Amino acid sequence: MVDLANLRDPVVIAAFEGWNDAAEAATGAVDHLIDEWDAELVTAIDPEDYYDFQVNRPMVGFDEDGGRQLTWPTTRMYVARPEDTDRDVLLIRGIEPNMRWRGFCQELLEVVDESNAQLVVVLGALLADSPHTRPIPVSATSSDPELSASWSLEPSTYEGPTGITGVFADLCSTLGVPSVSIWSAIPHYIASTPCPKASLALLTKIEALLDLQIPDGDLPELARAWQRGADELSEEDPEVAEYVHSLEEQRDTADLPEATGDAIAAEFERYLRRRNKNHPSD
């Protein structure tokens, strides 16, 4: 049994299926961390009070021994202990609840409080006018002034409906725990399938902010396969190709000011860290 009170400088990373998770990019990123870090299940929320089972139905399948098994929709919490780092990670992987959001978040916050985590990172993904041929846009915002200043984050300017990610991040302030929201922008014309390229982009941002080394696993190859499929779609439909070309022009024009010396230096430093880890004797 994991003793949450004895975790090392823990950080929370959370993602939820549903409205906040276009092309399964956010939950795909957390699933990757659970697998690559061999995370240990700590607890799961009782779904009875939070989910409409006609909307999120239980699934029937088979267990490892071939017996029939019923799996209920829920939200689970895992602890990961990444190698080559001095901190642990509490991973929350769930489904946006259908009701009683404040009670749902309170249960999550009790686990966060027990772990003494000093930072919560919430992942999300949205549909956008973004070309698949360019890097997936990723934004990071925080309402905490000190965190925004130290990490050069922009305050969120969004106004409108929010999902469970926004509610959870907001309620973290009741514990005095600062939160960061990281969102990827998915090309809306090819959002019907999971987008590992966006999951990879989210993880790259986490690496940069938290100075964590995240194993790639098969995610880069999955991202390349997704890219090939998107290219084929564009090549087969002249209207889609023309639309993608217009998005490319808009994106390239908007990105020109971002090619600063600081941005290039930061990317080069990240490359060197990865290279030194993979080739320690060089």
Side-chain angles (χ1 to χ4, degrees):
M1 185 67 179
V2 176
D3 185 358
L4 293 176
N6 288 327
L7 298 183
R8 306 168 302 157
D9 189 25
V11 61
V12 178
I13 301 176
F16 302 90
E17 294 178 20
W19 192 77
N20 322 268
D21 190 30
E24 302 175 19
T27 52
V30 172
D31 286 340
H32 180 81
L33 296 178
I34 292 171
D35 291 340
E36 292 297 323
W37 283 340
D38 195 21
E40 181 178 353
L41 179 64
V42 175
T43 187
I45 286 181
D46 185 339
E48 195 71 24
D49 291 333
Y50 305 113
Y51 295 103
D52 179 345
F53 297 136
Q54 291 182 322
V55 177
N56 294 292
R57 292 183 179 273
M59 301 293 291
V60 176
F62 295 92
D63 59 24
E64 295 179 355
D65 298 323
R68 290 185 67 78
Q69 176 177 275
L70 187 65
T71 302
W72 293 90
T74 188
T75 291
R76 297 177 173 84
M77 283 144 278
Y78 303 79
V79 166
R81 297 182 172 86
E83 297 180 357
D84 303 324
T85 182
D86 56 358
R87 79 185 324 170
D88 297 322
V89 182
L90 180 64
L91 298 166
I92 299 177
R93 202 287 191 198
I95 305 169
E96 184 176 69
N98 304 112
M99 60 198 80
R100 299 184 181 89
W101 283 22
R102 285 177 292 184
F104 175 84
C105 288
Q106 186 58 45
E107 290 203 34
L108 298 183
L109 291 174
E110 289 174 1
V111 177
V112 173
D113 187 38
E114 184 180 353
S115 72
N116 297 311
Q118 298 303 305
L119 176 66
V120 171
V121 178
V122 182
L123 305 182
L126 51 82
L127 301 181
D129 293 329
S130 176
H132 73 275
T133 53
R134 299 293 185 267
I136 296 289
V138 175
S139 62
T141 62
S142 177
S143 59
D144 183 83
E146 293 185 8
L147 195 60
S148 296
S150 61
W151 283 359
S152 299
L153 302 178
E154 295 293 330
S156 175
T157 59
Y158 172 76
E159 293 182 301
T162 189
I164 195 63
T165 56
V167 175
F168 180 51
D170 181 73
L171 291 178
C172 284
S173 61
T174 63
L175 285 179
V177 179
S179 63
V180 176
S181 294
I182 304 177
W183 285 74
S184 61
I186 311 297
H188 68 85
Y189 56 90
I190 191 168
S192 60
T193 57
C195 184
K197 182 177 179 179
S199 298
L200 188 60
L202 287 170
L203 294 174
T204 299
K205 190 67 173 180
I206 292 173
E207 277 191 321
L209 290 179
L210 303 184
D211 195 25
L212 283 174
Q213 294 292 329
I214 298 175
D216 286 338
D218 60 356
L219 198 54
E221 179 53 39
L222 292 174
R224 287 189 289 269
W226 178 90
Q227 183 74 48
R228 290 192 296 270
D231 289 340
E232 291 173 2
L233 171 68
S234 177
E235 292 168 0
E236 292 171 357
D237 190 327
E239 290 186 1
V240 173
E242 183 178 355
Y243 178 64
V244 171
H245 180 65
S246 68
L247 292 179
E248 290 172 340
E249 291 181 334
Q250 296 172 23
R251 174 71 181 276
D252 293 344
T253 300
D255 282 354
L256 283 176
E258 297 180 6
T260 63
D262 288 344
I264 294 172
E267 181 61 26
F268 185 62
E269 288 176 2
R270 178 177 175 276
Y271 162 76
L272 289 178
R273 287 198 301 271
R274 273 192 169 279
R275 184 177 184 278
N276 289 338
K277 179 186 178 183
N278 295 332
H279 305 283
S281 62
D282 289 357

